[in-house]
Amino acid sequence: MDVFHGEGAELLIQAILSLQTEKECRAFLEDLMTGKEIQDCSQRILVAKLLREKLVYSHIAQRTGASTATISRVNRCCAYGTGGYQLALDRLEDGGNPSFSESQEAVS
């Protein structure tokens, strides 16, 4: 099943891409998701970061509170997924995303 098929998914992607600041992103995520959903997503990206740092499952579980099932799922995504975690973590290591004005200059 392609979860990105449909008008709503396209709107979600475009909405995320339209956000320009951390404050805007926080506001959007707070309106879009429950606190638990935000915590779950936050936990998953942290697990991906720690897996990338080659920490063992037991240390990751202790540090994040994630279950071994969650750690295993994130590990599978990192190893066999679409590369989303890797791309995001690479960009964060490289200093994050370019500012909005730099992004606009690149498009022009």
Side-chain angles (χ1 to χ4, degrees):
M1 178 176 131
D2 182 9
V3 297
F4 293 109
H5 180 73
E7 184 179 359
E10 181 64 29
L11 184 59
L12 174 62
I13 291 167
Q14 292 305 313
I16 291 169
L17 289 171
S18 76
L19 302 171
Q20 298 178 21
T21 67
E22 185 177 321
K23 183 178 179 181
E24 289 175 358
C25 188
R26 286 175 185 270
F28 180 71
L29 292 175
E30 189 173 331
D31 286 349
L32 180 67
M33 297 191 289
T34 66
K36 176 72 169 121
E37 290 167 333
I38 293 170
Q39 287 175 335
D40 289 347
C41 291
S42 301
Q43 183 184 66
R44 289 182 196 135
I45 189 70
L46 179 56
V47 166
K49 178 182 179 288
L50 298 176
L51 286 166
R52 184 176 171 120
E53 294 172 4
K54 308 291 188 208
L55 270 65
V56 296
Y57 279 30
S58 59
H59 289 131
I60 294 171
Q62 183 178 22
R63 182 163 167 190
T64 65
S67 68
T68 55
T70 295
I71 298 167
S72 179
R73 182 186 180 285
V74 171
N75 192 42
R76 273 193 314 278
C77 289
C78 290
Y80 307 110
T82 60
Y85 281 121
Q86 181 177 336
L87 177 63
L89 292 171
D90 284 348
R91 290 202 177 150
L92 290 170
E93 282 182 3
D94 291 341
N97 295 328
S99 70
F100 179 73
S101 61
E102 290 171 346
S103 297
Q104 290 301 310
E105 289 171 11
V107 173
S108 302

